[in-house]
């Protein structure tokens, strides 16, 4: 079965970790992830500038590793990301900002990608909360 | 059309749980995760609400969140992430109470 997973919370929130554990279980169960979509404060889960205290789980890094190792389609909502200062090279240069913090494997794109993923997947699961 | 409802907020901070129980269909199920597992705290008002809803086999809680919060639970079926995935497929839709 195909899953679309939407993450609404930053890497330091328990629900971002929960989304990651769920995504791992989806693949472990032999299913497919059509797309990961990071929306609202979820865009912070994609920032390369997150520095996690040494005694805490680095969920942002775990997302990056997970997406890289399974070559997943990981889309970050562009409108949500820009207003929160999560920019790739192209947007940093377009808006003359001093730095980019959204390298590959993340892609900035629009909300239409969430809609499309919800249509093409068998299930859409959203993660937010505490 | 059956729905798995997922709540991840503490029942002591808002009315999500009560609203969800009001909307819950006869074949729908409820999964509590994160701070929402505090609803299972013995003797609490949310627990009375859950007991009154008579969900029997349709109430689930994420086991690691129960353990992390030391909630002794006799009401909900504990599930791990593999079972969470199975649940999401068993029901036609998953509605997260963001």
């Amino acid at each position: 079965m195909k899953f679309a997973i939407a993450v609404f919370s930053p890497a330091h929130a328990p629900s971002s970790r929960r989304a990651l554990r769920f995504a791992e279980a989806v693949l472990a169960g032999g299913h497919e992830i059509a797309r990961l979509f990071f929306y609202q404060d979820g865009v912070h889960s994609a920032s390369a500038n997150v520095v996690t205290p040494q005694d805490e789980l680095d969920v942002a890094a775990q997302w990056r590793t997970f997406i890289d190792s399974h070559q997943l389609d990981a889309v970050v909502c562009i409108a949500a990301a820009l207003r929160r200062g999560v920019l790739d090279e192209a947007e940093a240069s377009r808006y003359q900002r001093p730095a980019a913090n959204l390298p590959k494997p993340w892609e900035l794109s629009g909300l239409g990608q969430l809609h499309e993923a919800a249509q093409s997947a068998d299930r859409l699961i959203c993660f937010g909360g505490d | 059309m059956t729905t798995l409802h997922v709540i991840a907020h503490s029942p002591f901070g808002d009315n999500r749980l009560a609203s969800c129980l009001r909307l819950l269909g006869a074949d729908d199920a409820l999964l509590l995760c994160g701070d929402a597992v505090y609803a299972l705290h013995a003797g609490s008002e949310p627990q009375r609400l859950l007991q009154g809803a008579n969900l029997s086999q349709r109430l689930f809680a994420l086991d690691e969140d129960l353990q992390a919060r030391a909630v002794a639970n006799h009401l909900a079926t504990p599930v791990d992430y593999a079972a969470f995935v199975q649940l999401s497929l068993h029901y036609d839709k998953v509605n997260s109470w963001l």
Side-chain angles (χ1 to χ4, degrees), chain A residues 1 3 8 14 17-18 21-22 25-26 31 122-130, chain B residues 8-9 33-35 62 64-65 81-82 84-86 88-89 91-92 94 96 98:
Chain A
M1 299 290 260
F3 285 80
F8 287 70
R17 175 184 173 281
R18 216 151 45 230
R21 294 290 170 264
F22 182 87
V26 164
H31 305 291
D122 297 297
R123 293 290 184 280
L124 166 68
I125 322 277
C126 301
F127 286 88
D130 306 311
Chain B
H9 292 79
C33 54
D35 282 352
L62 208 53
E64 68 164 26
D65 289 332
Y81 281 95
F84 184 177
V85 172
Q86 286 305 313
S88 70
L89 291 171
Y91 293 89
D92 297 319
V94 180
S96 299
L98 295 169

Side-chain angles (χ1 to χ4, degrees), chain A residues 40-95:
Chain A
Q40 296 178 359
D41 282 347
V43 303
H44 292 301
S45 287
S47 168
N49 276 355
V50 172
V51 179
T52 307
Q54 281 180 11
D55 59 345
E56 288 180 24
L57 212 59
D58 191 347
V59 175
Q62 289 192 358
W63 270 120
R64 205 156 44 243
T65 307
F66 176 72
I67 289 159
D68 264 333
S69 61
H70 297 285
Q71 304 204 320
L72 298 173
D73 184 4
V75 175
V76 178
C77 173
I78 189 164
L82 291 182
R83 71 163 75 238
R84 290 170 177 81
V86 177
L87 311 179
D88 63 6
E89 289 290 352
E91 298 306 313
S93 127
R94 185 199 319 271
Y95 294 103

Side-chain angles (χ1 to χ4, degrees), chain B residues 67-87:
Chain B
Q67 289 184 26
R69 290 162 183 79
V71 173
N73 148 58
H74 307 288
L75 207 55
T77 307
V79 293
D80 60 9
Y81 281 95
F84 184 177
V85 172
Q86 286 305 313
L87 275 181

